[in-house]
């Protein structure tokens, strides 16, 4: 299951399929998560963040199934500073984003990626800040969290993977990414 890399970490991958309505009923807590999003400085400032033009529930209610992917990234160096998280995760998120978009195209579904900064604008501020159109609307997707899903519960109950949180200023035992495709 685990894959060693020459980038300083190993990867374990987890996947599951579910009925979309069962997932929505059991794992979506939109009111709770929208409040958390509103406390974030990215709220309304990034195209992958709420509020959205289209009602997220209307968008996902069209689909019968969800394919959930979880990735556990285990750093070889357990003393890495917390600020190294982005560098550690970027190659993995880039690859998964490409995979999700390909799955979206082949299935006619809708992909949901990862919370955080946009991987497509090379560090440029999001065009949404200036009320301009997204530079990459064909690629930017919100995260499952951004549309109200409990990722910790998803990881644990669907994938059998407990999310670890940092204690202090070093990365946790492992990092967890969870994304999905409604189809």
């Amino acid at each position: 299951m685990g894959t060693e890399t020459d980038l300083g970490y190993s990867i374990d991958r987890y996947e599951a399929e579910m009925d979309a309505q069962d997932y929505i009923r059991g794992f979506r807590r939109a009111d709770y998560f929208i409040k958390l999003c509103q406390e974030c400085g990215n709220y309304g400032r990034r195209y992958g963040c709420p509020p959205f033009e289209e009602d997220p529930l209307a968008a996902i209610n069209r689909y019968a199934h969800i394919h959930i992917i979880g990735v556990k990234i285990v750093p070889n160096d357990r003393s890495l500073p917390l600020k190294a998280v982005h560098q550690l995760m970027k190659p993995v998120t880039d690859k998964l984003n490409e995979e999700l978009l390909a799955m979206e195209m082949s299935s006619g579904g809708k992909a949901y990626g990862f919370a955080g900064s946009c991987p497509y604008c090379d560090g440029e501020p999001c065009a949404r800040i200036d009320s301009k159109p997204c530079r990459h609307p064909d690629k930017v997707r919100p995260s499952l969290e951004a549309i109200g899903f409990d990722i910790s519960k998803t990881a644990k109950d669907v994938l059998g993977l407990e999310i670890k949180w940092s204690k202090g200023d070093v990365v946790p035992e492992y990092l967890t990414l969870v994304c999905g495709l409604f189809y």
Side-chain angles (χ1 to χ4, degrees):
M1 181 183 252
T3 305
E4 278 293 323
T5 71
D6 58 358
L7 299 173
Y9 56 83
S10 63
I11 298 171
D12 292 327
R13 184 174 169 129
Y14 304 78
E15 298 188 44
E17 301 279 331
M18 277 187 78
D19 175 86
Q21 291 305 311
D22 288 346
Y23 185 63
I24 292 166
R25 278 190 301 275
F27 296 86
R28 191 162 190 264
R29 297 175 50 207
D31 291 341
Y32 175 75
F33 285 101
I34 196 68
K35 285 179 185 170
L36 293 178
C37 285
Q38 289 169 336
E39 293 172 12
C40 176
N42 293 328
Y43 182 83
R45 296 176 51 87
R46 291 193 177 158
Y47 280 108
C49 296
F52 300 109
E53 287 183 22
E54 182 180 22
D55 173 32
L57 188 56
I60 60 178
N61 267 333
R62 300 176 215 167
Y63 303 105
H65 306 283
I66 182 169
H67 181 89
I68 301 169
I69 301 170
V71 175
K72 180 166 96 172
I73 304 168
V74 183
N76 296 342
D77 179 357
R78 300 297 166 97
S79 64
L80 278 174
L82 196 54
K83 64 185 178 187
V85 165
H86 179 72
Q87 180 182 348
L88 193 64
M89 290 189 332
K90 185 167 176 20
V92 181
T93 57
D94 286 352
K95 183 178 177 186
L96 280 171
N97 280 330
E98 286 180 29
E99 182 181 342
L100 282 170
L101 291 173
M103 290 169 62
E104 183 182 271
M105 287 186 83
S106 69
S107 70
K110 180 73 173 169
Y112 291 88
F114 312 103
S117 61
C118 175
Y120 304 109
C121 287
D122 296 323
E124 290 285 320
C126 184
R128 188 173 183 182
I129 294 169
D130 297 321
S131 301
K132 293 181 180 175
C134 179
R135 295 178 195 99
H136 303 281
D138 57 325
K139 296 179 181 177
V140 173
R141 299 295 181 268
S143 65
L144 288 168
E145 298 98 318
I147 62 166
F149 286 98
D150 186 333
I151 296 306
S152 291
K153 182 176 168 64
T154 298
K156 184 177 179 191
D157 295 356
V158 178
L159 301 172
L161 178 62
E162 181 182 346
I163 292 182
K164 300 286 186 179
W165 301 99
S166 173
K167 294 179 181 143
D169 58 354
V170 296
V171 295
E173 176 185 341
Y174 57 84
L175 304 167
T176 307
L177 299 170
V178 178
C179 57
L181 173 82
F182 282 92
Y183 67 99

